[in-house]
Amino acid sequence: ECTSFSLSTCYAQDQERLSASLSPGKAELFEKYESAVKEMHSVAEVEAFSYGFRLGVKLMIEAEATP
């Protein structure tokens, strides 16, 4: 069972086992799928950071405006 500390290790091992069990064509399709998922996660992370940053700025502005 994977823990939060070893999650990336478990993911890498599972990915390697899955890729090894696929035919070359399916392995290529799986790689494309993983690439798309990583891209979507990257976009979501940037959006979450941007939202948090804007919220932090709004809170700072409001704190400065409050006497």
Side-chain angles (χ1 to χ4, degrees), residues 2 16-17 20 24 29 33 35 39-41 54 58 60 65:
C2 292
E16 188 175 308
R17 285 194 314 232
L29 181 60
Y33 167 78
S35 179
E39 182 69 25
M40 288 186 331
H41 286 164
R54 287 191 314 266
K58 287 178 183 179
M60 289 180 3

Side-chain angles (χ1 to χ4, degrees), residues 22-52:
L22 297 173
S23 67
K26 289 183 180 181
E28 183 180 341
L29 181 60
F30 178 64
E31 287 177 20
K32 289 179 181 179
Y33 167 78
E34 281 204 312
S35 179
V37 169
K38 288 177 184 177
E39 182 69 25
M40 288 186 331
H41 286 164
S42 294
V43 169
E45 289 171 0
V46 168
E47 288 175 357
F49 175 82
S50 178
Y51 173 78

